[in-house]
């Protein structure tokens, strides 16, 4: 019976994914060592004792474990995490070490994994291990992202910013426009956008907790939720960085680029239209612009907040708008990055929802279409940038239309799925009048 269970397609799929993920982490670890830095595995292992890089991420990961616990167990877990962090804080202060919180959250997460293996059985064990797995994947995804950014800066010396900046003339140079608006708002506007930009993961956890609020009662995770989309975006996005390396306007056209920049133009003077070419840049700045993953993640938060209460929906809208303002207004991204990021997210979201439902024709068609649009955007930025700048009133609306068509296709397809699901009537099980003792 056990051998038959292991041959089931879903079990084989998850086993294959696990092996691939392990191999991917090992490969990144080796690559990072070649450049003299810690890889994701070593970095995570060190945070059991040493100061974490981001305590917020570790506590966000722990909350994904808490959703499978009872309220009493949650209070114990949170209390234990805070207590452990207090001990670490006192010791670090006494010896003059680097101060940071988060070790307690990691200890509790690992303790839950040990408890699941040694003290739980059956569905309870599987449920707790799923919560721990999601938590560790969220943290590992962050560590993997740091390593990817290092690899992009070391292996992609030439960047394509001139192509994207030229193509951005078709959209009216939105980074330059929003950059001047942010400057005009003064320190208050800057601080608000900075908080939203940095704390994007906090809003993601809020939405995820709402979606996973019934896990402890239902004893199962929903088929699709925000954490899955976040992880897939973080996994696939850096691969695009390697194919289309771009550093961003504040580096390529601003003061932060130093002598590597084309000129110190951002955000006051839009770049001139000329024949673009790849440009050499430093070996430190990440090539992490195309597509904008901050936009992708904020778009995912917006999508998943639509089913929440009114306050959550409003927060999702605010976080999306503010994130767009920060990514453009801080000079981290071009408008073309934003368009690509939105298409990227809706394509991934469609693929994950289709995978959850079972691959039907409409889902497959939309995934293929979204992928084709995304590839066409990248190709047009690279090979048609001069034409886009020369005819902005043609190519600008075409870019927006291409993005809107993917969004419209997603809304139309998902609404049809929801109508079909609602039309399937599942009769309620009839309870026994006098149930027998078992």
């Amino acid at each position: 019976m056990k051998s038959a269970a292991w041959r089931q397609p879903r079990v084989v799929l998850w086993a294959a994914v696990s092996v691939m993920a392990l191999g991917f982490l090992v490969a990144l670890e080796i690559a990072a060592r070649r450049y003299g830095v810690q890889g994701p595995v070593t970095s995570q292992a060190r945070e059991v004792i040493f100061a974490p890089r981001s305590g917020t991420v570790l506590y966000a990961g722990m909350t994904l474990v808490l959703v499978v616990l009872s309220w009493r167990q949650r209070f114990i877990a949170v209390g234990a995490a805070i207590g452990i962090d207090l001990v670490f804080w006192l010791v670090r202060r006494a010896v003059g070490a680097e101060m940071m919180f988060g070790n307690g959250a990691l200890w509790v997460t690992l303790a839950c994994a040990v408890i699941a293996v040694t003290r739980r059985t059956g569905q309870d064990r599987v449920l707790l291990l799923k919560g721990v797995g999601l938590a560790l994947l969220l943290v590992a995804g962050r560590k993997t992202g740091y390593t990817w950014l290092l690899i992009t800066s070391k292996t992609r010396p030439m960047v394509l910013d001139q192509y994207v900046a030229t193509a951005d003339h078709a959209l009216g140079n939105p980074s330059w426009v929003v950059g001047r608006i942010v400057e005009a708002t003064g320190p208050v506007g800057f601080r608000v956008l900075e908080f939203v930009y940095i704390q994007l993961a906090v809003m993601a956890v809020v939405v995820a907790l709402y979606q996973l609020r019934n896990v402890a009662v239902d004893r199962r995770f929903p088929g699709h939720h925000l954490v899955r989309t976040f992880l897939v975006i973080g996994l696939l996005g850096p691969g695009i960085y390697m194919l289309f390396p771009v550093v961003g306007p504040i580096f390529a056209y601003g003061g932060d680029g130093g002598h590597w920049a084309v000129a110190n133009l951002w955000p006051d003077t839009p770049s001139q239209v000329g024949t673009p070419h790849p440009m050499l840049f430093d070996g430190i700045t990440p090539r992490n612009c195309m597509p904008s993953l901050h936009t992708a993640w904020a778009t995912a938060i917006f999508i998943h907040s639509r089913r929440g209460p009114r306050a959550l929906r409003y927060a999702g809208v605010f976080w999306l708008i503010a994130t767009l303002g920060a990514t453009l207004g801080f000079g981290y991204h071009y408008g073309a990055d934003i368009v690509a990021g939105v298409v990227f997210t809706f394509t991934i979201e469609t693929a994950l929802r289709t995978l959850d439902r079972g691959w039907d024709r409409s889902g497959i068609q939309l995934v293929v279409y979204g992928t084709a649009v995304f590839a066409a955007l990248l190709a047009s930025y690279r090979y048609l940038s001069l034409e886009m700048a020369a005819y902005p009133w043609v190519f600008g609306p075409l870019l927006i239309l291409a993005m809107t068509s993917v969004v419209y296709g997603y809304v139309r397809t998902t609404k049809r799925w929801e109508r079909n699901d609602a039309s399937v009537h599942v009769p309620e099980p009839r309870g026994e009048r006098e149930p027998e003792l078992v």
Side-chain angles (χ1 to χ4, degrees):
M1 294 293 292
K2 290 185 177 181
S3 61
W6 277 102
R7 287 196 296 267
Q8 293 180 2
R10 184 173 290 272
V11 175
V12 173
L13 174 63
W14 281 111
V17 170
S18 300
V19 172
M20 292 175 60
L22 179 60
F24 179 67
L25 288 175
V26 171
L28 283 181
E29 186 74 24
I30 296 173
R33 294 289 179 150
R34 288 185 58 188
Y35 296 111
V37 298
Q38 297 173 359
V41 178
T42 304
S43 178
Q44 187 59 69
R46 281 178 53 85
E47 291 185 354
V48 175
I49 300 297
F50 296 97
R53 185 164 185 171
S54 174
T56 304
V57 173
L58 291 174
Y59 270 94
M62 188 185 72
T63 58
L64 298 178
V65 183
L66 299 182
V67 298
V68 308
L69 304 177
S70 64
W71 279 106
R72 177 176 175 274
Q73 293 167 337
R74 291 170 184 172
F75 285 123
I76 293 174
V78 172
I82 295 175
I84 293 171
D85 268 330
L86 286 175
V87 173
F88 272 97
W89 185 82
L90 292 173
V91 172
R92 285 176 181 143
R93 185 175 183 182
V95 301
E98 180 184 359
M99 303 298 292
M100 177 54 72
F101 65 95
N103 299 88
L106 181 57
W107 278 43
V108 168
T109 301
L110 296 176
C112 287
V114 174
I115 292 172
V117 174
T118 60
R119 303 292 298 275
R120 299 288 180 89
T121 59
Q123 181 63 22
D124 288 341
R125 172 185 290 177
V126 173
L127 193 67
L128 186 52
L129 285 177
K130 282 184 177 180
V132 172
L134 284 176
L136 295 179
L137 278 174
L138 182 66
V139 177
R142 187 70 174 264
K143 300 295 182 185
T144 301
Y146 292 143
T147 305
W148 262 118
L149 295 182
L150 170 70
I151 293 174
T152 63
S153 64
K154 300 296 185 183
T155 62
R156 292 295 181 267
M158 308 300 289
V159 297
L160 304 179
D161 282 76
Q162 293 188 26
Y163 294 91
V164 183
T166 302
D168 232 34
H169 283 271
L171 297 171
N173 299 299
S175 181
W176 274 258
V177 174
V178 180
R180 292 194 294 271
I181 293 175
V182 172
E183 282 190 347
T185 61
V188 175
F190 181 88
R191 295 302 178 191
V192 171
L193 293 181
E194 183 183 44
F195 174 81
V196 171
Y197 189 84
I198 294 175
Q199 301 300 334
L200 183 69
V202 175
M203 186 59 196
V205 169
V206 171
V207 176
L209 287 178
Y210 175 79
Q211 292 181 320
L212 304 177
R213 66 193 183 281
N214 295 323
V215 170
V217 177
D218 297 339
R219 309 309 297 165
R220 65 181 181 85
F221 279 85
H224 179 52
H225 49 82
L226 177 61
V227 180
R228 296 177 68 195
T229 307
F230 247 64
L231 291 173
V232 175
I233 288 174
L235 176 65
L236 298 180
I240 311 300
Y241 295 163
M242 302 292 286
L243 297 175
F244 207 111
V246 181
V247 293
I250 197 171
F251 297 104
Y253 293 93
D256 287 16
H259 69 277
W260 299 97
V262 175
N264 191 0
L265 302 175
W266 188 90
D268 300 315
T269 307
S271 61
Q272 297 296 316
V273 177
T275 302
H277 58 270
M279 54 184 285
L280 183 67
F281 214 77
D282 64 32
I284 301 174
T285 306
R287 280 62 165 152
N288 62 338
C289 278
M290 182 63 71
S292 168
L293 291 198
H294 257 79
T295 298
W297 282 318
T299 303
I301 290 173
F302 170 79
I303 294 171
H304 285 264
S305 66
R306 294 304 84 202
R307 292 178 174 271
R310 181 178 299 176
L312 192 64
R313 296 197 304 269
Y314 287 166
V317 173
F318 169 76
W319 229 265
L320 176 60
I321 295 174
T323 300
L324 294 178
T327 55
L328 292 171
F330 293 163
Y332 297 150
H333 290 280
Y334 303 90
D337 308 339
I338 305 300
V339 174
V342 172
V343 173
F344 186 67
T345 303
F346 275 94
T347 303
I348 290 175
E349 183 69 19
T350 303
L352 291 176
R353 290 197 62 173
T354 305
L355 177 64
D356 180 49
R357 289 178 50 85
W359 291 96
D360 63 358
R361 182 177 180 181
S362 59
I364 294 174
Q365 287 177 337
L366 186 55
V367 171
V368 172
Y369 177 70
T371 304
V373 171
F374 182 76
L377 289 175
L378 297 188
S380 64
Y381 299 157
R382 177 63 174 82
Y383 299 107
L384 295 176
S385 58
L386 275 176
E387 289 77 5
M388 295 172 72
Y391 304 100
W393 293 106
V394 175
F395 285 95
L398 282 177
L399 290 176
I400 301 302
L401 180 62
M403 179 185 71
T404 305
S405 67
V406 176
V407 177
Y408 174 75
Y410 172 83
V411 173
R412 182 180 179 183
T413 301
T414 53
K415 283 186 176 181
R416 183 167 61 250
W417 286 344
E418 292 167 2
R419 287 196 301 268
N420 293 339
D421 292 341
S423 65
V424 177
H425 175 67
V426 179
E428 294 290 335
R430 185 175 60 185
E432 299 177 356
R433 293 184 179 180
E434 296 181 0
E436 298 179 359
L437 293 176
V438 178

